[in-house]
Structures are given as structure tokens and as C-alpha cells.
mmCIF file of all heavy atoms in Angstrom:
data_model
loop_
_atom_site.group_PDB
_atom_site.id
_atom_site.type_symbol
_atom_site.label_atom_id
_atom_site.label_comp_id
_atom_site.label_asym_id
_atom_site.label_seq_id
_atom_site.Cartn_x
_atom_site.Cartn_y
_atom_site.Cartn_z
ATOM 1 N N MET A 1 368.065 52.070 136.476
ATOM 2 C CA MET A 1 369.033 51.093 136.825
ATOM 3 C C MET A 1 368.546 49.693 136.375
ATOM 4 O O MET A 1 367.352 49.396 136.418
ATOM 5 C CB MET A 1 369.292 51.026 138.334
ATOM 6 C CG MET A 1 370.343 50.055 138.756
ATOM 7 S SD MET A 1 370.542 50.000 140.523
ATOM 8 C CE MET A 1 371.469 51.506 140.686
ATOM 9 N N ARG A 2 369.511 48.906 135.901
ATOM 10 C CA ARG A 2 369.152 47.616 135.362
ATOM 11 C C ARG A 2 370.080 46.552 136.011
ATOM 12 O O ARG A 2 371.236 46.807 136.299
ATOM 13 C CB ARG A 2 369.290 47.449 133.931
ATOM 14 C CG ARG A 2 368.323 48.371 133.168
ATOM 15 C CD ARG A 2 368.416 48.201 131.707
ATOM 16 N NE ARG A 2 367.585 49.076 131.049
ATOM 17 C CZ ARG A 2 367.813 49.760 129.927
ATOM 18 N NH1 ARG A 2 368.941 49.608 129.328
ATOM 19 N NH2 ARG A 2 366.908 50.539 129.432
ATOM 20 N N ALA A 3 369.494 45.391 136.300
ATOM 21 C CA ALA A 3 370.345 44.293 136.795
ATOM 22 C C ALA A 3 370.187 43.108 135.814
ATOM 23 O O ALA A 3 369.125 42.847 135.399
ATOM 24 C CB ALA A 3 369.814 43.849 138.206
ATOM 25 N N LEU A 4 371.293 42.473 135.405
ATOM 26 C CA LEU A 4 371.280 41.385 134.545
ATOM 27 C C LEU A 4 371.955 40.207 135.072
ATOM 28 O O LEU A 4 372.967 40.319 135.833
ATOM 29 C CB LEU A 4 372.037 41.779 133.201
ATOM 30 C CG LEU A 4 371.511 42.998 132.515
ATOM 31 C CD1 LEU A 4 372.450 43.408 131.326
ATOM 32 C CD2 LEU A 4 370.080 42.768 131.917
ATOM 33 N N ALA A 5 371.476 39.053 134.764
ATOM 34 C CA ALA A 5 372.156 37.704 135.141
ATOM 35 C C ALA A 5 371.828 36.807 134.000
ATOM 36 O O ALA A 5 370.760 36.744 133.441
ATOM 37 C CB ALA A 5 371.595 37.251 136.455
ATOM 38 N N TRP A 6 372.831 36.070 133.642
ATOM 39 C CA TRP A 6 372.618 35.049 132.579
ATOM 40 C C TRP A 6 373.525 33.822 132.825
ATOM 41 O O TRP A 6 374.402 33.847 133.590
ATOM 42 C CB TRP A 6 372.961 35.706 131.191
ATOM 43 C CG TRP A 6 374.406 36.105 131.061
ATOM 44 C CD1 TRP A 6 375.425 35.341 130.625
ATOM 45 C CD2 TRP A 6 374.925 37.435 131.314
ATOM 46 N NE1 TRP A 6 376.530 36.098 130.590
ATOM 47 C CE2 TRP A 6 376.310 37.369 130.970
ATOM 48 C CE3 TRP A 6 374.359 38.574 131.683
ATOM 49 C CZ2 TRP A 6 377.127 38.446 131.126
ATOM 50 C CZ3 TRP A 6 375.142 39.691 131.829
ATOM 51 C CH2 TRP A 6 376.530 39.646 131.579
ATOM 52 N N ALA A 7 373.131 32.760 132.172
ATOM 53 C CA ALA A 7 373.831 31.494 132.228
ATOM 54 C C ALA A 7 374.640 31.310 131.000
ATOM 55 O O ALA A 7 374.179 31.528 129.890
ATOM 56 C CB ALA A 7 372.866 30.327 132.431
ATOM 57 N N CYS A 8 375.857 30.827 131.169
ATOM 58 C CA CYS A 8 376.717 30.538 130.014
ATOM 59 C C CYS A 8 376.750 29.040 129.832
ATOM 60 O O CYS A 8 376.769 28.207 130.750
ATOM 61 C CB CYS A 8 378.120 31.062 130.331
ATOM 62 S SG CYS A 8 379.213 30.885 128.955
ATOM 63 N N THR A 9 376.720 28.522 128.578
ATOM 64 C CA THR A 9 376.718 27.137 128.271
ATOM 65 C C THR A 9 378.097 26.647 127.839
ATOM 66 O O THR A 9 378.209 25.389 127.620
ATOM 67 C CB THR A 9 375.643 26.837 127.229
ATOM 68 O OG1 THR A 9 376.017 27.606 126.029
ATOM 69 C CG2 THR A 9 374.302 27.228 127.718
ATOM 70 N N ALA A 10 379.104 27.465 127.750
ATOM 71 C CA ALA A 10 380.449 27.038 127.300
ATOM 72 C C ALA A 10 381.163 26.335 128.470
ATOM 73 O O ALA A 10 380.881 26.624 129.643
ATOM 74 C CB ALA A 10 381.197 28.194 126.830
ATOM 75 N N PRO A 11 382.050 25.408 128.123
ATOM 76 C CA PRO A 11 382.776 24.822 129.216
ATOM 77 C C PRO A 11 383.660 25.774 129.972
ATOM 78 O O PRO A 11 384.126 26.840 129.404
ATOM 79 C CB PRO A 11 383.738 23.756 128.517
ATOM 80 C CG PRO A 11 383.215 23.729 127.045
ATOM 81 C CD PRO A 11 382.356 24.925 126.847
ATOM 82 N N VAL A 12 384.057 25.540 131.111
ATOM 83 C CA VAL A 12 384.838 26.490 131.985
ATOM 84 C C VAL A 12 386.198 26.746 131.377
ATOM 85 O O VAL A 12 386.658 27.814 131.375
ATOM 86 C CB VAL A 12 385.089 25.833 133.413
ATOM 87 C CG1 VAL A 12 386.043 26.688 134.218
ATOM 88 C CG2 VAL A 12 383.738 25.741 134.146
ATOM 89 N N GLU A 13 386.750 25.703 130.660
ATOM 90 C CA GLU A 13 388.074 25.894 130.115
ATOM 91 C C GLU A 13 388.053 26.958 128.960
ATOM 92 O O GLU A 13 388.987 27.693 128.802
ATOM 93 C CB GLU A 13 388.584 24.605 129.413
ATOM 94 C CG GLU A 13 388.875 23.499 130.500
ATOM 95 C CD GLU A 13 387.563 22.831 131.051
ATOM 96 O OE1 GLU A 13 386.527 22.820 130.330
ATOM 97 O OE2 GLU A 13 387.696 22.306 132.150
ATOM 98 N N ARG A 14 386.948 27.071 128.251
ATOM 99 C CA ARG A 14 386.823 28.013 127.188
ATOM 100 C C ARG A 14 386.737 29.420 127.829
ATOM 101 O O ARG A 14 387.330 30.370 127.387
ATOM 102 C CB ARG A 14 385.673 27.742 126.332
ATOM 103 C CG ARG A 14 385.538 28.728 125.189
ATOM 104 C CD ARG A 14 384.698 28.307 124.075
ATOM 105 N NE ARG A 14 384.663 29.233 123.037
ATOM 106 C CZ ARG A 14 383.596 29.756 122.529
ATOM 107 N NH1 ARG A 14 382.406 29.530 123.006
ATOM 108 N NH2 ARG A 14 383.711 30.701 121.545
ATOM 109 N N GLY A 15 385.982 29.504 128.879
ATOM 110 C CA GLY A 15 385.872 30.781 129.613
ATOM 111 C C GLY A 15 387.196 31.189 130.238
ATOM 112 O O GLY A 15 387.533 32.376 130.150
ATOM 113 N N ASP A 16 387.957 30.305 130.736
ATOM 114 C CA ASP A 16 389.277 30.641 131.308
ATOM 115 C C ASP A 16 390.207 31.243 130.235
ATOM 116 O O ASP A 16 390.935 32.166 130.529
ATOM 117 C CB ASP A 16 389.931 29.429 131.907
ATOM 118 C CG ASP A 16 389.310 29.024 133.229
ATOM 119 O OD1 ASP A 16 388.574 29.856 133.842
ATOM 120 O OD2 ASP A 16 389.495 27.895 133.631
ATOM 121 N N ALA A 17 390.157 30.750 129.032
ATOM 122 C CA ALA A 17 390.998 31.218 127.933
ATOM 123 C C ALA A 17 390.683 32.641 127.609
ATOM 124 O O ALA A 17 391.464 33.410 127.130
ATOM 125 C CB ALA A 17 390.838 30.298 126.747
ATOM 126 N N LEU A 18 389.387 33.082 127.798
ATOM 127 C CA LEU A 18 389.002 34.459 127.402
ATOM 128 C C LEU A 18 388.848 35.385 128.582
ATOM 129 O O LEU A 18 388.507 36.558 128.383
ATOM 130 C CB LEU A 18 387.675 34.324 126.705
ATOM 131 C CG LEU A 18 387.641 33.442 125.444
ATOM 132 C CD1 LEU A 18 386.230 33.297 124.979
ATOM 133 C CD2 LEU A 18 388.518 34.038 124.356
ATOM 134 N N LEU A 19 389.214 34.937 129.792
ATOM 135 C CA LEU A 19 388.939 35.712 130.976
ATOM 136 C C LEU A 19 389.637 37.073 131.000
ATOM 137 O O LEU A 19 389.022 38.098 131.415
ATOM 138 C CB LEU A 19 389.347 34.884 132.271
ATOM 139 C CG LEU A 19 388.860 35.419 133.568
ATOM 140 C CD1 LEU A 19 387.360 35.472 133.554
ATOM 141 C CD2 LEU A 19 389.355 34.453 134.657
ATOM 142 N N GLU A 20 390.916 37.131 130.625
ATOM 143 C CA GLU A 20 391.570 38.463 130.657
ATOM 144 C C GLU A 20 390.922 39.477 129.793
ATOM 145 O O GLU A 20 390.733 40.658 130.298
ATOM 146 C CB GLU A 20 393.066 38.252 130.269
ATOM 147 C CG GLU A 20 393.914 39.436 130.415
ATOM 148 C CD GLU A 20 395.303 39.199 130.036
ATOM 149 O OE1 GLU A 20 395.790 38.077 130.224
ATOM 150 O OE2 GLU A 20 396.040 40.099 129.575
ATOM 151 N N VAL A 21 390.558 39.167 128.662
ATOM 152 C CA VAL A 21 389.908 40.040 127.724
ATOM 153 C C VAL A 21 388.529 40.481 128.298
ATOM 154 O O VAL A 21 388.045 41.625 128.270
ATOM 155 C CB VAL A 21 389.695 39.476 126.302
ATOM 156 C CG1 VAL A 21 388.875 40.375 125.427
ATOM 157 C CG2 VAL A 21 391.095 39.289 125.705
ATOM 158 N N HIS A 22 387.798 39.481 128.825
ATOM 159 C CA HIS A 22 386.445 39.734 129.414
ATOM 160 C C HIS A 22 386.519 40.665 130.596
ATOM 161 O O HIS A 22 385.636 41.535 130.769
ATOM 162 C CB HIS A 22 385.877 38.382 129.757
ATOM 163 C CG HIS A 22 384.487 38.490 130.421
ATOM 164 N ND1 HIS A 22 383.385 38.818 129.737
ATOM 165 C CD2 HIS A 22 384.125 38.374 131.683
ATOM 166 C CE1 HIS A 22 382.309 38.853 130.501
ATOM 167 N NE2 HIS A 22 382.750 38.573 131.758
ATOM 168 N N VAL A 23 387.482 40.583 131.403
ATOM 169 C CA VAL A 23 387.624 41.385 132.642
ATOM 170 C C VAL A 23 387.940 42.803 132.204
ATOM 171 O O VAL A 23 387.547 43.720 132.956
ATOM 172 C CB VAL A 23 388.576 40.758 133.684
ATOM 173 C CG1 VAL A 23 388.949 41.746 134.786
ATOM 174 C CG2 VAL A 23 388.058 39.477 134.181
ATOM 175 N N ALA A 24 388.656 43.007 131.192
ATOM 176 C CA ALA A 24 389.028 44.401 130.742
ATOM 177 C C ALA A 24 387.835 45.214 130.321
ATOM 178 O O ALA A 24 387.802 46.424 130.489
ATOM 179 C CB ALA A 24 389.999 44.289 129.576
ATOM 180 N N ARG A 25 386.814 44.571 129.820
ATOM 181 C CA ARG A 25 385.640 45.358 129.394
ATOM 182 C C ARG A 25 384.875 46.053 130.517
ATOM 183 O O ARG A 25 384.644 47.227 130.485
ATOM 184 C CB ARG A 25 384.588 44.411 128.664
ATOM 185 C CG ARG A 25 385.195 43.968 127.365
ATOM 186 C CD ARG A 25 384.129 43.285 126.516
ATOM 187 N NE ARG A 25 383.192 44.307 126.009
ATOM 188 C CZ ARG A 25 382.081 43.990 125.504
ATOM 189 N NH1 ARG A 25 381.608 42.801 125.321
ATOM 190 N NH2 ARG A 25 381.201 44.996 125.110
ATOM 191 N N PRO A 26 384.601 45.362 131.662
ATOM 192 C CA PRO A 26 383.977 46.119 132.814
ATOM 193 C C PRO A 26 384.953 47.186 133.333
ATOM 194 O O PRO A 26 384.358 48.248 133.748
ATOM 195 C CB PRO A 26 383.706 45.061 133.833
ATOM 196 C CG PRO A 26 383.647 43.841 133.091
ATOM 197 C CD PRO A 26 384.585 43.955 131.837
ATOM 198 N N ASP A 27 386.215 46.981 133.413
ATOM 199 C CA ASP A 27 387.168 47.980 133.860
ATOM 200 C C ASP A 27 386.985 49.249 133.130
ATOM 201 O O ASP A 27 386.977 50.334 133.692
ATOM 202 C CB ASP A 27 388.563 47.485 133.827
ATOM 203 C CG ASP A 27 388.887 46.423 134.766
ATOM 204 O OD1 ASP A 27 388.084 46.201 135.770
ATOM 205 O OD2 ASP A 27 389.930 45.689 134.663
ATOM 206 N N ALA A 28 386.894 49.143 131.799
ATOM 207 C CA ALA A 28 386.709 50.368 131.010
ATOM 208 C C ALA A 28 385.379 51.015 131.264
ATOM 209 O O ALA A 28 385.278 52.228 131.252
ATOM 210 C CB ALA A 28 386.850 50.026 129.518
ATOM 211 N N ARG A 29 384.360 50.195 131.495
ATOM 212 C CA ARG A 29 383.005 50.832 131.821
ATOM 213 C C ARG A 29 383.000 51.505 133.103
ATOM 214 O O ARG A 29 382.362 52.561 133.326
ATOM 215 C CB ARG A 29 381.930 49.697 131.762
ATOM 216 C CG ARG A 29 381.787 48.914 130.514
ATOM 217 C CD ARG A 29 381.436 49.723 129.292
ATOM 218 N NE ARG A 29 381.034 48.991 128.179
ATOM 219 C CZ ARG A 29 381.884 48.364 127.284
ATOM 220 N NH1 ARG A 29 383.132 48.402 127.462
ATOM 221 N NH2 ARG A 29 381.350 47.799 126.213
ATOM 222 N N TYR A 30 383.755 50.996 134.106
ATOM 223 C CA TYR A 30 383.835 51.661 135.380
ATOM 224 C C TYR A 30 384.452 53.098 135.260
ATOM 225 O O TYR A 30 384.010 54.095 135.783
ATOM 226 C CB TYR A 30 384.652 50.906 136.437
ATOM 227 C CG TYR A 30 383.951 49.755 137.039
ATOM 228 C CD1 TYR A 30 384.370 48.419 136.910
ATOM 229 C CD2 TYR A 30 382.815 49.944 137.874
ATOM 230 C CE1 TYR A 30 383.694 47.375 137.439
ATOM 231 C CE2 TYR A 30 382.174 48.882 138.482
ATOM 232 C CZ TYR A 30 382.614 47.635 138.240
ATOM 233 O OH TYR A 30 381.954 46.523 138.814
ATOM 234 N N VAL A 31 385.541 53.108 134.490
ATOM 235 C CA VAL A 31 386.292 54.424 134.174
ATOM 236 C C VAL A 31 385.358 55.402 133.543
ATOM 237 O O VAL A 31 385.399 56.571 133.823
ATOM 238 C CB VAL A 31 387.588 54.134 133.342
ATOM 239 C CG1 VAL A 31 388.143 55.416 132.923
ATOM 240 C CG2 VAL A 31 388.554 53.336 134.173
ATOM 241 N N ALA A 32 384.505 54.927 132.622
ATOM 242 C CA ALA A 32 383.643 55.814 131.918
ATOM 243 C C ALA A 32 382.430 56.190 132.682
ATOM 244 O O ALA A 32 381.602 57.046 132.331
ATOM 245 C CB ALA A 32 383.122 55.137 130.601
ATOM 246 N N GLY A 33 382.238 55.527 133.850
ATOM 247 C CA GLY A 33 381.082 55.841 134.721
ATOM 248 C C GLY A 33 379.773 55.231 134.296
ATOM 249 O O GLY A 33 378.704 55.580 134.774
ATOM 250 N N VAL A 34 379.903 54.274 133.456
ATOM 251 C CA VAL A 34 378.682 53.525 132.917
ATOM 252 C C VAL A 34 378.288 52.377 133.758
ATOM 253 O O VAL A 34 377.168 52.092 133.984
ATOM 254 C CB VAL A 34 378.953 53.113 131.413
ATOM 255 C CG1 VAL A 34 377.798 52.244 130.967
ATOM 256 C CG2 VAL A 34 379.178 54.246 130.563
ATOM 257 N N LEU A 35 379.267 51.722 134.383
ATOM 258 C CA LEU A 35 379.077 50.452 135.157
ATOM 259 C C LEU A 35 379.356 50.864 136.609
ATOM 260 O O LEU A 35 380.307 51.354 136.930
ATOM 261 C CB LEU A 35 380.008 49.409 134.682
ATOM 262 C CG LEU A 35 379.740 47.987 135.221
ATOM 263 C CD1 LEU A 35 378.398 47.499 134.867
ATOM 264 C CD2 LEU A 35 380.814 47.050 134.659
ATOM 265 N N LEU A 36 378.368 50.405 137.467
ATOM 266 C CA LEU A 36 378.517 50.718 138.888
ATOM 267 C C LEU A 36 378.944 49.463 139.703
ATOM 268 O O LEU A 36 379.510 49.562 140.772
ATOM 269 C CB LEU A 36 377.214 51.272 139.430
ATOM 270 C CG LEU A 36 376.739 52.538 138.774
ATOM 271 C CD1 LEU A 36 375.352 52.937 139.382
ATOM 272 C CD2 LEU A 36 377.744 53.649 139.015
ATOM 273 N N ALA A 37 378.465 48.289 139.245
ATOM 274 C CA ALA A 37 378.824 47.079 140.010
ATOM 275 C C ALA A 37 378.861 45.871 139.032
ATOM 276 O O ALA A 37 378.145 45.834 138.057
ATOM 277 C CB ALA A 37 377.690 46.781 141.068
ATOM 278 N N SER A 38 379.628 44.949 139.390
ATOM 279 C CA SER A 38 379.714 43.662 138.682
ATOM 280 C C SER A 38 380.346 42.604 139.572
ATOM 281 O O SER A 38 380.922 42.926 140.588
ATOM 282 C CB SER A 38 380.569 43.822 137.381
ATOM 283 O OG SER A 38 381.892 44.062 137.714
ATOM 284 N N GLY A 39 380.222 41.433 139.137
ATOM 285 C CA GLY A 39 380.876 40.316 139.978
ATOM 286 C C GLY A 39 380.675 38.909 139.351
ATOM 287 O O GLY A 39 379.852 38.717 138.440
ATOM 288 N N ARG A 40 381.458 38.049 139.878
ATOM 289 C CA ARG A 40 381.322 36.632 139.460
ATOM 290 C C ARG A 40 380.307 35.879 140.334
ATOM 291 O O ARG A 40 380.089 36.208 141.429
ATOM 292 C CB ARG A 40 382.659 35.946 139.586
ATOM 293 C CG ARG A 40 383.686 36.563 138.727
ATOM 294 C CD ARG A 40 384.987 35.895 138.867
ATOM 295 N NE ARG A 40 386.037 36.539 137.973
ATOM 296 C CZ ARG A 40 387.280 36.403 138.162
ATOM 297 N NH1 ARG A 40 387.758 35.722 139.189
ATOM 298 N NH2 ARG A 40 388.115 37.028 137.339
ATOM 299 N N ARG A 41 379.810 34.821 139.775
ATOM 300 C CA ARG A 41 378.975 33.875 140.522
ATOM 301 C C ARG A 41 379.845 33.050 141.465
ATOM 302 O O ARG A 41 381.006 32.727 141.109
ATOM 303 C CB ARG A 41 378.206 32.970 139.642
ATOM 304 C CG ARG A 41 377.149 33.624 138.941
ATOM 305 C CD ARG A 41 376.360 32.598 138.154
ATOM 306 N NE ARG A 41 375.287 33.236 137.414
ATOM 307 C CZ ARG A 41 374.285 32.674 136.838
ATOM 308 N NH1 ARG A 41 374.212 31.330 136.894
ATOM 309 N NH2 ARG A 41 373.391 33.353 136.207
ATOM 310 N N ASN A 42 379.377 32.724 142.638
ATOM 311 C CA ASN A 42 380.174 31.954 143.534
ATOM 312 C C ASN A 42 379.269 30.855 144.069
ATOM 313 O O ASN A 42 378.273 31.240 144.795
ATOM 314 C CB ASN A 42 380.753 32.826 144.672
ATOM 315 C CG ASN A 42 381.709 32.133 145.576
ATOM 316 O OD1 ASN A 42 382.124 30.957 145.213
ATOM 317 N ND2 ASN A 42 382.123 32.681 146.585
ATOM 318 N N PRO A 43 379.438 29.581 143.841
ATOM 319 C CA PRO A 43 380.581 29.046 143.107
ATOM 320 C C PRO A 43 380.476 29.288 141.618
ATOM 321 O O PRO A 43 379.394 29.460 141.100
ATOM 322 C CB PRO A 43 380.507 27.542 143.398
ATOM 323 C CG PRO A 43 379.090 27.304 143.609
ATOM 324 C CD PRO A 43 378.533 28.583 144.230
ATOM 325 N N ARG A 44 381.610 29.291 140.970
ATOM 326 C CA ARG A 44 381.685 29.556 139.489
ATOM 327 C C ARG A 44 381.024 28.364 138.763
ATOM 328 O O ARG A 44 381.339 27.261 139.054
ATOM 329 C CB ARG A 44 383.085 29.790 139.117
ATOM 330 C CG ARG A 44 383.188 30.399 137.782
ATOM 331 C CD ARG A 44 384.647 30.886 137.540
ATOM 332 N NE ARG A 44 384.931 30.880 136.161
ATOM 333 C CZ ARG A 44 386.023 30.657 135.614
ATOM 334 N NH1 ARG A 44 387.106 30.437 136.343
ATOM 335 N NH2 ARG A 44 386.177 30.689 134.300
ATOM 336 N N GLU A 45 380.263 28.687 137.783
ATOM 337 C CA GLU A 45 379.558 27.583 136.966
ATOM 338 C C GLU A 45 379.792 27.849 135.457
ATOM 339 O O GLU A 45 379.847 29.004 135.038
ATOM 340 C CB GLU A 45 378.062 27.669 137.213
ATOM 341 C CG GLU A 45 377.625 27.463 138.624
ATOM 342 C CD GLU A 45 376.167 27.652 138.793
ATOM 343 O OE1 GLU A 45 375.519 28.113 137.817
ATOM 344 O OE2 GLU A 45 375.679 27.525 139.922
ATOM 345 N N GLU A 46 379.964 26.805 134.801
ATOM 346 C CA GLU A 46 380.134 26.828 133.302
ATOM 347 C C GLU A 46 381.201 27.841 132.909
ATOM 348 O O GLU A 46 382.132 28.141 133.663
ATOM 349 C CB GLU A 46 378.763 27.121 132.746
ATOM 350 C CG GLU A 46 377.831 25.965 133.020
ATOM 351 C CD GLU A 46 376.418 26.507 133.063
ATOM 352 O OE1 GLU A 46 376.191 27.654 133.078
ATOM 353 O OE2 GLU A 46 375.536 25.677 133.149
ATOM 354 N N GLY A 47 381.229 28.296 131.680
ATOM 355 C CA GLY A 47 382.228 29.186 131.157
ATOM 356 C C GLY A 47 381.834 30.599 131.260
ATOM 357 O O GLY A 47 382.304 31.564 131.048
#
């Protein structure tokens, strides 16, 4: 098992524009049984 965390340097507005596509990737990984957990940082930072 691996845990990853990273910091994004893009502005929040750029991340918002790509959010729908970005969220679809983990959904496909859950269906395939590859991804067990994911989540957003709270409070949300950067893009």
C-alpha cells in the first residue's frame, strides 16, 4: 500500500477549470479496484 500527498503550484482558478476531468480519473480507478481511498485537502489550497 502506498500513500501520496503533493502540493500544486497552479492558481485555484486553473484547478477549478480542470476539476471535472480530474475527478473522473479516480472514479475509474475505484471501479477497476485499483484505488481504495482519495480525498481533497481541507481547507483547499492552490490549484
Side-chain angles (χ1 to χ4, degrees):
M1 181 180 286
R2 295 182 182 143
L4 302 172
W6 62 87
C8 185
T9 58
V12 172
E13 295 77 24
R14 183 163 184 236
D16 286 342
L18 302 170
L19 193 58
E20 186 175 329
V21 173
H22 177 72
V23 171
R25 291 191 72 193
D27 288 345
R29 302 300 192 279
Y30 282 117
V31 171
V34 175
L35 189 60
L36 300 177
S38 65
R40 297 179 180 161
R41 288 185 181 193
N42 190 7
R44 193 166 155 213
E45 301 172 354
E46 298 149 351

